[in-house]
Amino acid sequence: MNATAPVLEVSSLYAGYGRYDVVRDLNLHVAEGEAVALLGPNGAGKTTVLRAIMGLVKQRRGSIRIGGQELVRLPTHRIARGHAALVPEGRRLFLNQSVEDNLLLGAIHLRRDRRRVRELLDSVYDLFPLLRDVRGRSASALSGGQQQVVAIGRMLMSDPRVLLLDEPSLGLAPKAIDGVAAALDELRRRGRSLLLVEQRVDLALRVCDRVSVLAGGEIALEARAADVRAEERSLINAYLG
């Protein structure tokens, strides 16, 4: 990992809904091949940050760059073409469609390049062999943890520079959370850049290089995951409420 070369840079960002700024003067970065967790209580603005990166929330001021390219004025469909991709809270799969059909939706903008789509599909199956085994099965027949892996695979099908995940452990049983953590570990080992919104401090510390705590729309605390001691973990938990 080259910590001196951020692939994602968010600078002095103000973003929100209507006249209200949920995020205020936010600064964060993700280096190439780095996994960063954004923690915080409900209503802190974590999801707003991800939605602002994807162009789904109005950015009033500030800069969002991926690979040095400014995204603030780009429409969402352009951002989703290789810059960033989002696994939303709740996964939002097409449950009546097969696993493979759900995966292919992630590469819909590449549909004319069948060779590239096949390469991406094979890379997802190589990363998550389980998905190859169930590729013809309806997504509704999968467990919550398996559906989350499908959602991660769908995100990878757009071949983004930055992977954004919103509460990937939400509503999952402990065993399923372990499966999702293993998937995120593998992405990290393969050098993918991740920004993870999460409530579970244990998961964030396990799979991420750094953690940032968002409170009141601003970064209140930053730390390297490997350096978080018991007292710092208690402070993070206090922020989370």
Side-chain angles (χ1 to χ4, degrees):
M1 180 184 69
N2 183 0
T4 64
V7 64
L8 169 66
E9 298 175 272
V10 178
S11 304
S12 303
L13 179 67
Y14 290 76
Y17 309 89
R19 297 183 177 181
Y20 179 63
D21 285 329
V22 177
V23 174
R24 296 182 291 279
D25 199 21
L26 183 79
N27 296 279
L28 65 82
H29 73 276
V30 178
E32 194 78 53
E34 184 182 33
V36 176
L38 190 59
L39 308 174
N42 290 332
K46 306 183 300 298
T47 295
T48 300
V49 174
L50 299 187
R51 290 176 60 81
I53 293 170
M54 292 302 303
L56 296 167
V57 171
K58 182 176 178 60
Q59 310 101 331
R60 302 182 201 286
R61 292 162 52 190
S63 172
I64 301 172
R65 293 178 178 269
I66 290 182
Q69 181 173 347
E70 181 61 65
L71 303 186
V72 163
R73 292 179 179 84
L74 286 183
T76 298
H77 72 273
R78 292 276 303 279
I79 295 170
R81 294 180 178 179
H83 295 295
L86 171 66
V87 175
E89 181 183 322
R91 302 178 287 277
R92 299 184 189 176
L93 299 179
F94 289 90
L95 297 178
N96 62 333
Q97 300 294 316
S98 71
V99 167
E100 187 158 299
D101 285 344
N102 272 279
L103 293 175
L104 290 172
L105 284 171
I108 195 167
H109 65 289
L110 299 169
R111 60 189 178 277
R112 295 182 180 178
D113 189 347
R114 294 184 179 181
R115 181 177 178 180
R116 181 58 180 150
V117 171
R118 187 76 249 174
E119 289 174 348
L120 287 167
L121 191 60
D122 286 342
S123 71
V124 170
Y125 286 150
D126 176 62
L127 181 62
F128 304 128
L130 165 71
L131 298 187
R132 187 189 300 274
D133 295 339
V134 301
R135 63 186 181 273
R137 191 177 301 177
S138 170
S140 64
L142 304 183
S143 69
Q146 291 169 335
Q147 289 179 2
Q148 189 64 270
V149 175
V150 174
I152 294 171
R154 180 184 59 188
M155 170 182 63
L156 293 171
M157 287 295 294
S158 66
D159 198 20
R161 294 286 305 271
V162 180
L163 315 179
L164 309 175
L165 299 101
D166 193 2
E167 302 279 9
S169 71
L170 186 67
L172 299 183
K175 185 175 181 180
I177 291 173
D178 287 342
V180 170
L184 298 178
D185 276 335
E186 186 60 27
L187 289 173
R188 182 182 171 197
R189 281 193 294 269
R190 296 192 181 207
R192 303 305 298 250
S193 304
L194 286 80
L195 179 59
L196 169 71
V197 160
E198 190 46 73
Q199 288 277 9
R200 295 182 63 98
V201 177
D202 56 338
L203 177 63
L205 294 178
R206 171 179 167 180
V207 304
C208 292
D209 299 286
R210 290 187 293 113
V211 296
S212 294
V213 178
L214 192 64
E218 302 174 352
I219 297 294
L221 177 68
E222 293 182 282
R224 293 200 61 81
D227 298 334
V228 173
R229 297 182 295 274
E231 59 270 24
E232 290 165 318
R233 185 162 179 161
S234 296
L235 182 58
I236 292 172
N237 285 328
Y239 275 114
L240 297 183

